[in-house]
Amino acid sequence: EEIEQLKETLSLNQTLTGYDVVNATVITRNKAYWYQTLTIDKGSKDGLRKNMVVITKNGLIGKLQKVTAYSSEVKLITANDVNNKVSVSIATTTGETTALLSGYDKENNLVLISGVDSLVDIQEGDIVTTSGLGGMFPRGIYIGEVETITNDKYGLSKTLGIKTNQDFNNIHYVTILKEESK
């Protein structure tokens, strides 16, 4: 399984022609903070800096939170942290709307988006990517697709459950986007 993940990581490099990338191996993961962070074997000596984007072939998984010379800590998008907001774009049949990732539902393995305007026509299967707003994450990185839609009790907003292709319990190799190639 790890060999397959490594092959997929290397094939991902072929599709990311617009970026300088660094591939890394997950070296530790704290069970108490399983859905919060993981540690990789690359750091500032490899050109990594805080806030760089971390992906797998399945899409966005997080950003670099702490960087030392030889390792880095990745803050996962599954972290329930008010400071870990990701601006997303939801492609609907009538256009595109933006929102923020707001948490993670461990029981159903869904990334959550809350506060979506109830007037926006969102359907199950709509694709969610990074919006590029806020300057933290480049536009168009795949996150997942809408699986559940729940209206709030007042009918003013919706909470969306997003099914990712990433198994957050099984991450061995990641790719860090350094910056766009010149």
Side-chain angles (χ1 to χ4, degrees):
E1 187 177 318
E2 284 189 35
I3 290 170
E4 281 307 307
Q5 284 188 20
L6 186 55
K7 285 180 183 175
E8 290 164 352
T9 299
L10 293 174
S11 71
L12 176 64
N13 289 359
Q14 305 307 310
T15 62
L16 293 171
T17 54
Y19 287 90
D20 289 333
V21 299
V22 173
N23 293 320
T25 303
V26 175
I27 53 174
T28 62
R29 213 156 163 192
N30 185 328
K31 288 199 185 303
Y33 301 101
W34 192 259
Y35 293 103
Q36 307 289 320
T37 62
L38 53 82
T39 304
I40 58 173
D41 67 347
K42 298 287 170 62
S44 58
K45 72 169 184 61
D46 304 290
L48 301 186
R49 292 186 317 276
K50 185 177 178 179
N51 293 328
M52 286 182 168
V53 177
V54 183
I55 63 172
T56 68
K57 71 158 182 77
N58 297 310
L60 180 70
I61 64 160
K63 67 179 180 177
L64 297 181
Q65 175 176 272
K66 292 179 188 164
V67 178
T68 65
Y70 297 98
S71 67
S72 300
E73 187 175 88
V74 177
K75 176 72 117 184
L76 298 172
I77 62 171
T78 53
N80 286 314
D81 180 349
V82 294
N83 299 317
N84 195 35
K85 299 291 186 191
V86 179
S87 177
V88 299
S89 176
I90 306 155
T92 68
T93 55
T94 56
E96 191 176 281
T97 190
T98 56
L100 292 174
L101 288 185
S102 60
Y104 183 64
D105 176 353
K106 285 182 208 163
E107 289 178 22
N108 298 305
N109 196 26
L110 298 173
V111 179
L112 301 175
I113 299 174
S114 59
V116 178
D117 188 330
S118 65
L119 300 176
V120 176
D121 182 27
I122 295 177
Q123 304 295 318
E124 288 179 20
D126 285 351
I127 302 297
V128 179
T129 61
T130 53
S131 71
L133 299 175
M136 183 65 66
F137 298 92
R139 180 177 173 77
I141 299 174
Y142 181 82
I143 295 172
E145 58 183 64
V146 176
E147 185 166 291
T148 63
I149 304 166
T150 311
N151 290 309
D152 75 354
K153 62 183 176 181
Y154 304 108
L156 300 174
S157 68
K158 301 175 186 178
T159 297
L160 310 177
I162 309 304
K163 182 74 174 161
T164 67
N165 289 337
Q166 179 62 54
D167 176 359
F168 282 90
N169 290 313
N170 192 15
I171 302 172
H172 298 287
Y173 303 102
V174 300
T175 299
I176 299 93
L177 302 183
K178 284 174 69 176
E179 57 257 340
E180 292 192 55
S181 304
K182 302 283 186 273

